[in-house]
């Protein structure tokens, strides 16, 4: 299949310089309790470069991106010696995902006349904002109900998320390509009980 025969070279550079701030506050009473508050923040800039060189002209491209990716968390642990330990954590993080060669300019399988995978050179990087909450409780005194439990919740919003778009013609042939969509949201929750 001459459409799928190709020689190419893909290269990328992913650099994330940043500065990190962290601080720990501790309060202890001997043989009674230990309370720790940990704060963390990181300011990062991601520089992402990608380049593809191919025998196929439509697969030749060179792209540069610069994206701000901050993250932060706050963790509080209260250890009541011999009784229980409880930990809370809230965090915020950001992520970026970049369009790949298969999304920008894929090779088309000409043997499959009813399905065509097209590229989209206008794709933008996706950007995710995520918030998280985590709670852990450990009892050192056995109760007949619940001794230990963990609960976590994550929620996020993705701008320019990657999604498939398919168009069918009158003959039933499908043409598929990737597009950017805004406002993609998610919420997940997990729990463990013992």
């Amino acid at each position: 299949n001459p459409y799928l025969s190709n020689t190419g070279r893909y290269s990328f550079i992913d650099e994330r310089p940043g500065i990190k701030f962290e601080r720990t506050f501790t309060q202890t009473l001997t043989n009674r309790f230990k309370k720790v508050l940990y704060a963390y923040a990181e300011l990062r800039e991601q520089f992402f470069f990608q380049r593809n060189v191919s025998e196929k002209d439509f697969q030749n491209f060179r792209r540069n991106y610069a994206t701000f990716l901050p993250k932060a968390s706050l963790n509080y642990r209260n250890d009541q010696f011999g009784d229980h330990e409880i930990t809370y954590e809230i965090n915020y993080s950001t992520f970026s995902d970049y369009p790949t060669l298969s999304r920008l300019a894929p090779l088309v399988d000409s043997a499959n006349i009813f399905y065509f995978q097209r590229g989209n050179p206008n794709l933008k990087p996706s950007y995710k904002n995520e918030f998280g909450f985590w709670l852990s409780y450990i009892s050192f005194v056995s109760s007949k109900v619940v001794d230990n439990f963990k609960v976590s919740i994550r929620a996020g919003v993705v701008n320019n998320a990657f999604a498939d778009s398919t168009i069918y013609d009158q003959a039933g042939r499908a043409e598929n390509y990737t597009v950017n969509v805004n406002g993609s949201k998610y919420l997940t929750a997990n729990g463990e009980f013992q």
Side-chain angles (χ1 to χ4, degrees):
N1 189 333
Y3 289 94
L4 293 179
S5 299
N6 183 45
T7 300
R9 186 173 69 253
Y10 176 78
S11 58
F12 74 93
I13 299 173
D14 187 357
E15 295 289 341
R16 305 184 187 193
I19 184 169
K20 181 168 66 174
F21 305 92
E22 56 185 342
R23 186 72 185 269
T24 302
F25 304 90
T26 305
Q27 182 183 20
T28 305
L29 183 59
T30 305
N31 297 325
R32 295 292 300 278
F33 66 80
K34 182 178 182 180
K35 299 178 181 179
V36 180
L37 178 65
Y38 173 73
Y40 165 89
E42 185 176 359
L43 305 177
R44 297 178 300 165
E45 184 76 16
Q46 181 182 27
F47 298 97
F48 190 84
F49 164 82
Q50 60 182 176
R51 180 185 180 188
N52 193 70
V53 178
S54 170
E55 292 178 347
K56 311 289 188 184
D57 288 339
F58 70 91
Q59 283 196 318
N60 291 321
F61 64 84
R62 177 188 181 113
R63 293 184 167 211
N64 295 288
Y65 306 95
T67 310
F68 183 51
L69 298 175
K71 60 191 301 188
S73 68
L74 192 63
N75 181 289
Y76 175 72
R77 179 167 58 89
N78 183 354
D79 188 356
Q80 298 291 320
F81 298 149
D83 189 72
H84 70 273
E85 178 184 291
I86 188 166
T87 305
Y88 304 90
E89 181 176 317
I90 56 173
N91 54 63
Y92 166 73
S93 52
T94 54
F95 307 90
S96 191
D97 190 18
Y98 299 92
T100 59
L101 173 62
S102 62
R103 287 175 168 153
L104 293 169
L107 294 175
V108 177
D109 183 3
S110 60
N112 189 346
I113 62 172
F114 290 100
Y115 181 84
F116 300 96
Q117 180 65 45
R118 303 296 188 191
N120 183 355
N122 297 317
L123 283 176
K124 300 175 182 178
S126 68
Y127 190 83
K128 177 168 69 175
N129 291 277
E130 183 177 270
F131 296 89
F133 172 77
W134 184 75
L135 168 64
S136 170
Y137 178 85
I138 302 173
S139 175
F140 303 116
V141 180
S142 180
S143 67
K144 294 183 179 180
V145 186
V146 176
D147 290 329
N148 306 312
F149 68 85
K150 296 178 182 178
V151 176
S152 65
I153 300 172
R154 293 201 171 277
V157 177
V158 184
N159 288 321
N160 291 323
F162 299 129
D164 286 335
S165 177
T166 304
I167 299 173
Y168 293 90
D169 64 14
Q170 294 179 346
R173 292 176 298 222
E175 187 171 295
N176 185 78
Y177 57 97
T178 304
V179 295
N180 289 122
V181 294
N182 276 324
S184 176
K185 301 174 185 177
Y186 62 92
L187 174 67
T188 61
N190 294 290
E192 299 178 19
F193 300 88
Q194 296 178 348

